[in-house]
Amino acid sequence: MATLSFLTSSPSAKPTLPTLTKPNLSLLSSKPPSLPFTFPKPSTLTLTLTQRLSPLKSSSSTPGVLSPTTQIPAPITLKSRLHNGDTLYGLFLLSFSPTIAEIAGLSGYDFVVVDMEHGPGGFSDALPCLRALAATNTPAILRLPESCPVWAKKALDLGPQGIMFPMIESAKEARKAVSYCRFPPRGIRGSAHTVVRASNYGMDAGYLSNYEDELLIMCQVESEEGVEKIDEIAAVDGVDCIQMGPLDLSASVGYLWDPGNKKVREMMRKAEKGVLESRGDGEGEGGGAFLAGFAMPHDWPEDLRKRGYHMVSGAVDVGLLRDAFIDDVNKFQMGLMNGSDADVKDGDEKYWSE
């Protein structure tokens, strides 16, 4: 690259300006004026289609220095980790607090679900949480308030690694959910990929070629009707995970206050079997969906893992905070009663809800 040279003078010297004797009309001519330096050729500033900028979606891969021949390895995503046989552990975020999202990411969760179905926030509240999680290299999943193309379109444009559709009860509804996530002709997703966050605001040249491979589509089964058709739902092309909803499922069979009821457990086992069989041997070698679920007081994360779950959500942020606050107050009150800082033993079970 050419360099610019400047003449130096003593501090007391006054700068002299060139005297214009006549108007310079060279800018009006077809030939560009000569300059004392040169710009780099435009081709050196253009990214080729084989290059990809570091995605806003969280990924554990680290891009190297780009060159026209650089081959960027596929990013490590939730979807690729599942296909590699990993079991992932995550948290549901209902508070919509970017600070809590950041703490969760730094704590080591494999993923965080920003819950727009039961949490109080909308898209403008979810975006700071996604940014906080991306800063900690933690994948974010957005759970929609309902399964519809408008919600899905806006959610996907924010660039989460995963999207969760609630209350899916048939293969037809699952196919619709998948279509909301794909651009025509494979789906009906509206396109603004040249300017949205999901494509690094248009700077990710490979977004259209890779978004289907990197997006995790999760369908939540939460009713007795959904369980009866769960094998069909899990077999739908594009459905990557079946997320079980134990509380709504217990409510659908009349046991809202008793999710550990024998009848509810039997229904859960039936659903689990249907999903695992969709993958052939239940270990990720078939063509169906992976199994995802919530831990419960009667059904711990380790129990879920042993039954074939590959995505386990162990808690909700507000539930963890509630328990910590109650424990802190109890310790103080017990200290006042006993005249010391005696610890209060935790109960065997801590209940949390979606």
Side-chain angles (χ1 to χ4, degrees):
M1 180 181 289
T3 58
L4 292 177
S5 300
F6 296 89
L7 297 177
T8 59
S9 60
S10 63
S12 61
K14 296 181 179 180
T16 59
L17 299 175
T19 302
L20 297 177
T21 57
K22 60 181 180 179
N24 187 348
L25 301 179
S26 61
L27 293 178
L28 301 178
S29 66
S30 59
K31 182 179 180 181
S34 60
L35 299 173
F37 57 89
T38 60
F39 289 105
K41 295 180 180 180
S43 60
T44 63
L45 298 177
T46 303
L47 289 175
T48 65
L49 291 179
T50 61
Q51 295 173 328
R52 298 189 64 199
L53 299 178
S54 176
L56 284 167
K57 302 183 291 296
S58 300
S59 171
S60 59
S61 62
T62 303
V65 178
L66 294 178
S67 71
T69 59
T70 298
Q71 296 296 321
I72 304 300
I76 299 175
T77 63
L78 293 174
K79 194 169 180 176
S80 66
R81 289 188 65 188
L82 287 172
H83 284 281
N84 287 336
D86 292 352
T87 299
L88 310 178
Y89 186 65
L91 174 79
F92 268 62
L93 188 83
L94 265 70
S95 68
F96 280 77
S97 164
T99 299
I100 295 178
E102 185 176 36
I103 294 171
L106 293 171
S107 298
Y109 287 102
D110 293 309
F111 63 90
V112 171
V113 179
V114 181
D115 191 352
M116 298 177 63
E117 182 183 16
H118 291 295
F123 288 111
S124 58
D125 304 295
L127 180 56
C129 296
L130 265 62
R131 286 175 171 155
L133 290 167
T136 67
N137 207 31
T138 304
I141 297 171
L142 280 178
R143 177 156 79 159
L144 303 183
E146 63 176 324
S147 298
C148 76
V150 175
W151 283 109
K153 174 173 57 179
K154 292 179 72 67
L156 292 170
D157 284 349
L158 293 185
Q161 265 200 32
I163 183 169
M164 187 185 298
F165 293 92
M167 203 59 74
I168 298 297
E169 298 185 331
S170 68
K172 180 179 179 181
E173 292 180 359
R175 283 191 291 269
K176 284 184 177 180
V178 173
S179 75
Y180 303 157
C181 300
R182 292 176 173 175
F183 294 114
R186 289 171 55 78
I188 62 171
R189 178 183 172 187
S191 177
H193 63 275
T194 57
V195 292
V196 296
R197 183 176 184 269
S199 64
N200 281 1
Y201 304 99
M203 291 182 282
D204 183 351
Y207 178 71
L208 290 180
S209 301
N210 297 279
Y211 80 96
E212 284 190 22
D213 294 330
E214 297 177 6
L215 177 66
L216 187 74
I217 300 177
M218 306 178 72
C219 288
Q220 193 161 5
V221 174
E222 310 175 77
S223 69
E224 190 171 6
E225 182 178 355
V227 170
E228 292 299 325
K229 300 178 181 178
I230 200 165
D231 54 338
E232 299 174 11
I233 296 172
V236 170
D237 178 50
V239 174
D240 299 304
C241 274
I242 298 296
Q243 172 79 43
M244 297 305 303
L247 289 181
D248 281 315
L249 181 58
S250 65
S252 74
V253 293
Y255 295 98
L256 175 61
W257 300 109
D258 187 14
N261 185 275
K262 181 180 178 181
K263 184 175 180 179
V264 179
R265 292 191 186 210
E266 290 174 351
M267 188 166 295
M268 286 287 291
R269 299 301 181 270
K270 179 179 179 180
E272 293 164 2
K273 182 180 179 182
V275 177
L276 294 175
E277 287 181 349
S278 77
R279 298 205 61 77
D281 61 1
E283 293 296 332
E285 297 180 2
F290 291 94
L291 187 59
F294 299 98
M296 297 290 287
H298 62 276
D299 207 6
W300 291 81
E302 181 62 15
D303 298 327
L304 296 178
R305 186 191 67 80
K306 289 179 179 178
R307 296 205 306 274
Y309 283 77
H310 278 78
M311 293 187 75
V312 177
S313 298
V316 178
D317 62 335
V318 294
L320 291 175
L321 285 171
R322 176 202 61 209
D323 291 346
F325 291 167
I326 292 174
D327 183 62
D328 185 55
V329 172
N330 286 341
K331 286 181 178 179
F332 178 76
Q333 293 177 343
M334 290 298 294
L336 291 178
M337 293 173 59
N338 299 331
S340 66
D341 294 328
D343 291 335
V344 178
K345 293 184 179 180
D346 293 332
D348 291 334
E349 296 181 349
K350 292 183 178 180
Y351 180 77
W352 61 268
S353 65
E354 291 184 50

